[in-house]
Amino acid sequence: MSLNTPIFLKEREEDNSKFVEIQQSQTSSIAAEYPLQNLCLASQEVLQKAQQNGRSKCLKCGGSRMFYCYTCYVPVENVPIEQIPRVKLPLKIDIIKHPNETDGKSTAIHAKLLAPEFVNIYTYPCIPEYEEKDHEVALVFPGPNSVSVKEISFHLQEKIQNNVGGKNDDLDKPFIKRKKTEEQDLNDSKCKDTTLKKIVFIDSTWNQTNKIFTDERLQGLLQVELKTRKTCFWRHQKGKPDTFLSTIEAIYYFLSYW
């Protein structure tokens, strides 16, 4: 009996391990099927009251709007700003908006309303300079060179190493000394913070994205794709696959990974 006990315990441990793996797999499957299950919704009472009262003025531009001004990115008079939840995000977000994108249909504004300190919206051709910080910035956009969210840190580290290896401003130094300096720079770079600090999104119809995406100012950025998510947006673009997300969906799904 005592000889068989260890075998029994080992089989019991293997069964438990398999059970845990199955549970984790089922949990991941449920999360993929119901991606909004952990979304926390604030009270909608303030919006319901505003809807009953109808359109009201934007306190900045004076325009007549419902709920919020899509020009100034602020709630309107009937929606007290203190009653709108403020969200703290783990990183900064830049949104590059196509000039022909209809302001009233843009979902990027929702992110700006909820996290004004973390979200900036730029209208193309206005694009911030990312060249000196491309090791801490990424662009969410599908393509043949895109990586998954899990691969971001690895590729950002690789960018730093490539930048260090490409230095040529000390070619006049003796070879031995130069080699030692480059190795030291490489070691120092590994200690740098390679955490993603900013993520860039393109806000436009899918037929308009190419003009922004091919802009040379975005070409040096790491490209990230949300490959497993499907849109739940009610205004789905006709003729496009269901993996083409609205801007606010892409932001939500990306941050839920982060």
Side-chain angles (χ1 to χ4, degrees), residues 115-154:
E117 297 177 1
F118 295 86
V119 178
N120 287 309
I121 300 177
Y122 302 90
T123 301
Y124 187 81
C126 181
I127 295 180
E129 294 293 336
Y130 300 117
E131 187 176 359
E132 297 298 323
K133 297 183 178 180
D134 63 355
H135 61 282
E136 56 189 35
V137 182
L139 170 68
V140 173
F141 197 82
N145 298 321
S146 62
V147 303
S148 68
V149 177
K150 294 179 180 180
E151 298 173 303
I152 290 177
S153 295
F154 169 79

Side-chain angles (χ1 to χ4, degrees), residues 3-258:
L3 292 176
N4 292 331
T5 300
I7 297 176
F8 171 77
L9 292 176
K10 185 177 181 180
E11 290 177 347
R12 187 74 176 271
E13 288 175 359
E14 290 177 351
D15 290 341
N16 289 339
S17 178
K18 289 180 180 178
F19 177 74
V20 170
E21 289 179 2
I22 292 173
Q23 278 193 320
Q24 291 175 341
S25 176
Q26 290 176 341
T27 301
S28 299
S29 177
I30 292 173
E33 188 173 355
Y34 304 102
L36 304 180
Q37 64 173 346
N38 295 322
L39 183 64
C40 297
L41 296 178
S43 171
Q44 301 179 46
E45 184 179 357
V46 62
L47 299 180
Q48 292 169 351
K49 288 182 178 179
Q51 189 170 29
Q52 291 173 359
N53 294 329
R55 297 165 71 91
S56 62
K57 288 195 304 182
C58 169
L59 297 176
K60 283 191 174 183
C61 70
S64 176
R65 305 282 190 264
M66 177 67 76
F67 301 134
Y68 64 90
C69 178
Y70 47 73
T71 304
C72 303
Y73 311 144
V74 294
V76 293
E77 192 174 22
N78 281 347
V79 182
I81 194 168
E82 63 273 9
Q83 295 187 35
I84 299 298
R86 290 294 180 91
V87 179
K88 291 184 177 181
L89 304 181
L91 42 76
K92 299 285 187 179
I93 291 176
D94 281 354
I95 300 172
I96 314 300
K97 183 174 171 292
H98 195 282
N100 293 336
E101 176 73 0
T102 305
D103 291 339
K105 292 183 177 180
S106 172
T107 63
I109 300 169
H110 303 163
K112 180 66 175 176
L113 288 167
L114 295 176
E117 297 177 1
F118 295 86
V119 178
N120 287 309
I121 300 177
Y122 302 90
T123 301
Y124 187 81
C126 181
I127 295 180
E129 294 293 336
Y130 300 117
E131 187 176 359
E132 297 298 323
K133 297 183 178 180
D134 63 355
H135 61 282
E136 56 189 35
V137 182
L139 170 68
V140 173
F141 197 82
N145 298 321
S146 62
V147 303
S148 68
V149 177
K150 294 179 180 180
E151 298 173 303
I152 290 177
S153 295
F154 169 79
H155 286 280
L156 291 181
Q157 178 66 54
E158 196 175 52
K159 271 183 172 290
I160 290 182
Q161 293 177 354
N162 289 338
N163 289 339
V164 172
K167 287 182 177 180
N168 57 6
D169 56 352
D170 58 351
L171 294 178
D172 56 333
K173 295 180 182 179
F175 174 75
I176 296 177
K177 185 176 182 180
R178 186 171 71 246
K179 183 177 179 182
K180 183 177 181 181
T181 302
E182 289 174 351
E183 288 177 350
Q184 184 62 46
D185 288 343
L186 187 57
N187 289 333
D188 290 343
S189 73
K190 291 180 180 179
C191 298
K192 287 183 180 180
D193 182 12
T194 57
T195 302
L196 183 67
K197 295 182 180 179
K198 182 173 287 187
I199 189 72
V200 181
F201 294 87
I202 296 176
D203 183 50
S204 73
T205 63
W206 283 98
N207 291 330
Q208 297 171 336
T209 54
N210 191 60
K211 184 175 181 180
I212 299 178
F213 171 66
T214 56
D215 191 288
E216 61 180 7
R217 291 168 291 181
L218 299 179
Q219 297 309 298
L221 298 183
L222 178 66
Q223 194 176 331
V224 182
E225 183 174 357
L226 305 175
K227 300 181 180 180
T228 60
R229 295 300 187 180
K230 295 183 178 181
T231 183
C232 300
F233 193 42
W234 63 272
R235 195 170 56 236
H236 178 61
Q237 294 186 38
K238 293 181 180 180
K240 301 298 180 183
D242 56 7
T243 52
F244 281 26
L245 307 173
S246 67
T247 303
I248 195 64
E249 284 181 310
I251 292 173
Y252 172 77
Y253 287 138
F254 181 88
L255 293 179
S256 67
Y257 279 117
W258 206 246

